[in-house]
Amino acid sequence: MADKRRQARVQGAWAAPAKKQSAAHPATDAGSLLHQMPGQTWGNKEHPLSDRVFVFKEPQQVVRRAPEPRVIDREGVYEISLSPTGISRVRLYPGFIDSKEADWVLEQLCRDVPWKQRMGSRGDVTYLQPRLTAWYGELPYTYSRVTMEPNPHWHPVLRTLKHRIEDNTGHTFNSVLCNLYRDEKDSVDWHSDDEPALGRWPAIASLSFGATRAFEMRKKPPPEENGDYTYVERVKIPLDHGALLIMEGATQADWQHQVPKEYHSRGPRVNLTFRTIYPDPRGAPS
């Protein structure tokens, strides 16, 4: 044991005393700075307080958001807008034609109506309309620079449907535009049925058979919006087998409508739009 104590004293004598760091000259190398606590260097300095006052101000520019479309899918009368032009009103009658009769009507019309794919035009561009059409009425009808020639030989099913709609709505019609949407790729673009031959406030009766398709409406923007439809009111109406939709009042003056293409598979759909054509627009009711 004495030998071990002697050996420890000898080894301790070899160890040189630790050098003391001068308090007047603290280390400032990069390694020492890395071990400082965050904000330590900032906290060691004196900073004068600012007299500046910070005040929160609301943003000057109002953030606008496109409104969600209003969905109409139940029977009823809906006033969708009121403007200096007048009241825009739609009436929806789901199941106006019951399912079994609607099946029979769809079969008859798909088979007997002389469907034709016509050329459309937009500006200087002509194109095949993405649907098939046919016209019945004693007068011609021109829309989007497409003229439907007179066809007074009504199909008996179409004449029966016309009388039934007239008896239930109080409106009278002398023509019908038939549209066949073969599948989900067929459509009709934004438009209004506001041709002069229809009068100022036309009533349009739209009767649908076959696959359910979305009928979309958007309000025409005010003049200060310069034709920007981003923030206008919108309405979406699913039209199913046998459904009847009536558009009346200022709807054609203040709104547009379309049947867009769909991403999911859709079967054939026939849509009949009954309307009244006036030989002289000056004699149309105002």
Side-chain angles (χ1 to χ4, degrees), residues 115-127:
W115 300 106
K116 180 180 178 181
Q117 188 172 18
R118 291 172 167 77
M119 297 296 296
S121 61
R122 186 180 296 110
D124 297 329
V125 178
T126 58
Y127 59 93

PDB file of all heavy atoms in Angstrom, residues 115-127:
ATOM      1  N   TRP A 115     -82.784  13.139 -86.262  1.00  0.00           N
ATOM      2  CA  TRP A 115     -81.651  13.809 -85.617  1.00  0.00           C
ATOM      3  C   TRP A 115     -80.562  14.148 -86.633  1.00  0.00           C
ATOM      4  O   TRP A 115     -80.304  13.382 -87.567  1.00  0.00           O
ATOM      5  CB  TRP A 115     -81.066  12.922 -84.521  1.00  0.00           C
ATOM      6  CG  TRP A 115     -82.033  12.565 -83.438  1.00  0.00           C
ATOM      7  CD1 TRP A 115     -82.634  11.353 -83.234  1.00  0.00           C
ATOM      8  CD2 TRP A 115     -82.515  13.436 -82.406  1.00  0.00           C
ATOM      9  NE1 TRP A 115     -83.468  11.413 -82.143  1.00  0.00           N
ATOM     10  CE2 TRP A 115     -83.416  12.678 -81.613  1.00  0.00           C
ATOM     11  CE3 TRP A 115     -82.287  14.766 -82.080  1.00  0.00           C
ATOM     12  CZ2 TRP A 115     -84.073  13.198 -80.516  1.00  0.00           C
ATOM     13  CZ3 TRP A 115     -82.949  15.304 -80.990  1.00  0.00           C
ATOM     14  CH2 TRP A 115     -83.826  14.531 -80.219  1.00  0.00           C
ATOM     15  N   LYS A 116     -79.922  15.293 -86.397  1.00  0.00           N
ATOM     16  CA  LYS A 116     -78.853  15.732 -87.296  1.00  0.00           C
ATOM     17  C   LYS A 116     -77.816  16.520 -86.500  1.00  0.00           C
ATOM     18  O   LYS A 116     -78.171  17.308 -85.616  1.00  0.00           O
ATOM     19  CB  LYS A 116     -79.439  16.619 -88.410  1.00  0.00           C
ATOM     20  CG  LYS A 116     -78.412  17.136 -89.398  1.00  0.00           C
ATOM     21  CD  LYS A 116     -79.088  18.000 -90.467  1.00  0.00           C
ATOM     22  CE  LYS A 116     -78.070  18.567 -91.448  1.00  0.00           C
ATOM     23  NZ  LYS A 116     -78.719  19.428 -92.477  1.00  0.00           N
ATOM     24  N   GLN A 117     -76.543  16.292 -86.825  1.00  0.00           N
ATOM     25  CA  GLN A 117     -75.471  17.080 -86.197  1.00  0.00           C
ATOM     26  C   GLN A 117     -75.172  18.268 -87.093  1.00  0.00           C
ATOM     27  O   GLN A 117     -74.717  18.118 -88.228  1.00  0.00           O
ATOM     28  CB  GLN A 117     -74.210  16.228 -85.990  1.00  0.00           C
ATOM     29  CG  GLN A 117     -73.145  16.949 -85.180  1.00  0.00           C
ATOM     30  CD  GLN A 117     -71.984  16.039 -84.808  1.00  0.00           C
ATOM     31  OE1 GLN A 117     -71.794  14.978 -85.399  1.00  0.00           O
ATOM     32  NE2 GLN A 117     -71.204  16.461 -83.818  1.00  0.00           N
ATOM     33  N   ARG A 118     -75.419  19.458 -86.563  1.00  0.00           N
ATOM     34  CA  ARG A 118     -75.281  20.666 -87.350  1.00  0.00           C
ATOM     35  C   ARG A 118     -73.976  21.392 -87.060  1.00  0.00           C
ATOM     36  O   ARG A 118     -73.309  21.126 -86.057  1.00  0.00           O
ATOM     37  CB  ARG A 118     -76.477  21.602 -87.093  1.00  0.00           C
ATOM     38  CG  ARG A 118     -77.786  21.062 -87.658  1.00  0.00           C
ATOM     39  CD  ARG A 118     -78.981  21.883 -87.241  1.00  0.00           C
ATOM     40  NE  ARG A 118     -80.163  21.536 -88.017  1.00  0.00           N
ATOM     41  CZ  ARG A 118     -80.912  20.447 -87.821  1.00  0.00           C
ATOM     42  NH1 ARG A 118     -80.609  19.609 -86.838  1.00  0.00           N
ATOM     43  NH2 ARG A 118     -81.962  20.198 -88.575  1.00  0.00           N
ATOM     44  N   MET A 119     -73.638  22.308 -87.951  1.00  0.00           N
ATOM     45  CA  MET A 119     -72.443  23.127 -87.778  1.00  0.00           C
ATOM     46  C   MET A 119     -72.790  24.347 -86.932  1.00  0.00           C
ATOM     47  O   MET A 119     -73.818  24.991 -87.144  1.00  0.00           O
ATOM     48  CB  MET A 119     -71.897  23.587 -89.128  1.00  0.00           C
ATOM     49  CG  MET A 119     -71.426  22.457 -90.031  1.00  0.00           C
ATOM     50  SD  MET A 119     -70.012  21.548 -89.338  1.00  0.00           S
ATOM     51  CE  MET A 119     -68.773  22.842 -89.315  1.00  0.00           C
ATOM     52  N   GLY A 120     -71.932  24.667 -85.965  1.00  0.00           N
ATOM     53  CA  GLY A 120     -72.059  25.884 -85.179  1.00  0.00           C
ATOM     54  C   GLY A 120     -70.939  26.841 -85.539  1.00  0.00           C
ATOM     55  O   GLY A 120     -70.008  26.492 -86.262  1.00  0.00           O
ATOM     56  N   SER A 121     -71.039  28.055 -85.046  1.00  0.00           N
ATOM     57  CA  SER A 121     -69.994  29.044 -85.315  1.00  0.00           C
ATOM     58  C   SER A 121     -69.787  29.902 -84.082  1.00  0.00           C
ATOM     59  O   SER A 121     -70.726  30.228 -83.361  1.00  0.00           O
ATOM     60  CB  SER A 121     -70.354  29.923 -86.517  1.00  0.00           C
ATOM     61  OG  SER A 121     -71.554  30.635 -86.284  1.00  0.00           O
ATOM     62  N   ARG A 122     -68.546  30.236 -83.858  1.00  0.00           N
ATOM     63  CA  ARG A 122     -68.171  31.128 -82.762  1.00  0.00           C
ATOM     64  C   ARG A 122     -67.096  32.066 -83.291  1.00  0.00           C
ATOM     65  O   ARG A 122     -65.970  31.649 -83.521  1.00  0.00           O
ATOM     66  CB  ARG A 122     -67.666  30.336 -81.555  1.00  0.00           C
ATOM     67  CG  ARG A 122     -67.390  31.191 -80.326  1.00  0.00           C
ATOM     68  CD  ARG A 122     -66.896  30.351 -79.158  1.00  0.00           C
ATOM     69  NE  ARG A 122     -67.892  29.401 -78.692  1.00  0.00           N
ATOM     70  CZ  ARG A 122     -67.788  28.086 -78.852  1.00  0.00           C
ATOM     71  NH1 ARG A 122     -66.736  27.564 -79.485  1.00  0.00           N
ATOM     72  NH2 ARG A 122     -68.729  27.284 -78.402  1.00  0.00           N
ATOM     73  N   GLY A 123     -67.493  33.320 -83.517  1.00  0.00           N
ATOM     74  CA  GLY A 123     -66.570  34.242 -84.174  1.00  0.00           C
ATOM     75  C   GLY A 123     -66.372  33.797 -85.619  1.00  0.00           C
ATOM     76  O   GLY A 123     -67.330  33.618 -86.376  1.00  0.00           O
ATOM     77  N   ASP A 124     -65.121  33.590 -86.007  1.00  0.00           N
ATOM     78  CA  ASP A 124     -64.810  33.128 -87.360  1.00  0.00           C
ATOM     79  C   ASP A 124     -64.577  31.624 -87.420  1.00  0.00           C
ATOM     80  O   ASP A 124     -64.149  31.098 -88.452  1.00  0.00           O
ATOM     81  CB  ASP A 124     -63.558  33.866 -87.882  1.00  0.00           C
ATOM     82  CG  ASP A 124     -63.790  35.362 -88.010  1.00  0.00           C
ATOM     83  OD1 ASP A 124     -64.948  35.753 -88.276  1.00  0.00           O
ATOM     84  OD2 ASP A 124     -62.829  36.136 -87.831  1.00  0.00           O
ATOM     85  N   VAL A 125     -64.837  30.926 -86.310  1.00  0.00           N
ATOM     86  CA  VAL A 125     -64.568  29.495 -86.242  1.00  0.00           C
ATOM     87  C   VAL A 125     -65.878  28.717 -86.363  1.00  0.00           C
ATOM     88  O   VAL A 125     -66.859  29.021 -85.690  1.00  0.00           O
ATOM     89  CB  VAL A 125     -63.869  29.134 -84.910  1.00  0.00           C
ATOM     90  CG1 VAL A 125     -63.626  27.634 -84.828  1.00  0.00           C
ATOM     91  CG2 VAL A 125     -62.564  29.895 -84.773  1.00  0.00           C
ATOM     92  N   THR A 126     -65.906  27.725 -87.242  1.00  0.00           N
ATOM     93  CA  THR A 126     -67.050  26.833 -87.360  1.00  0.00           C
ATOM     94  C   THR A 126     -66.678  25.465 -86.786  1.00  0.00           C
ATOM     95  O   THR A 126     -65.526  25.058 -86.837  1.00  0.00           O
ATOM     96  CB  THR A 126     -67.484  26.687 -88.823  1.00  0.00           C
ATOM     97  OG1 THR A 126     -66.390  26.185 -89.595  1.00  0.00           O
ATOM     98  CG2 THR A 126     -67.932  28.024 -89.392  1.00  0.00           C
ATOM     99  N   TYR A 127     -67.665  24.764 -86.266  1.00  0.00           N
ATOM    100  CA  TYR A 127     -67.410  23.489 -85.615  1.00  0.00           C
ATOM    101  C   TYR A 127     -68.685  22.648 -85.625  1.00  0.00           C
ATOM    102  O   TYR A 127     -69.794  23.164 -85.779  1.00  0.00           O
ATOM    103  CB  TYR A 127     -66.968  23.710 -84.167  1.00  0.00           C
ATOM    104  CG  TYR A 127     -67.992  24.450 -83.325  1.00  0.00           C
ATOM    105  CD1 TYR A 127     -68.940  23.758 -82.566  1.00  0.00           C
ATOM    106  CD2 TYR A 127     -68.049  25.844 -83.328  1.00  0.00           C
ATOM    107  CE1 TYR A 127     -69.892  24.437 -81.814  1.00  0.00           C
ATOM    108  CE2 TYR A 127     -69.010  26.518 -82.587  1.00  0.00           C
ATOM    109  CZ  TYR A 127     -69.920  25.816 -81.839  1.00  0.00           C
ATOM    110  OH  TYR A 127     -70.874  26.480 -81.113  1.00  0.00           O
TER     111      TYR A 127
END
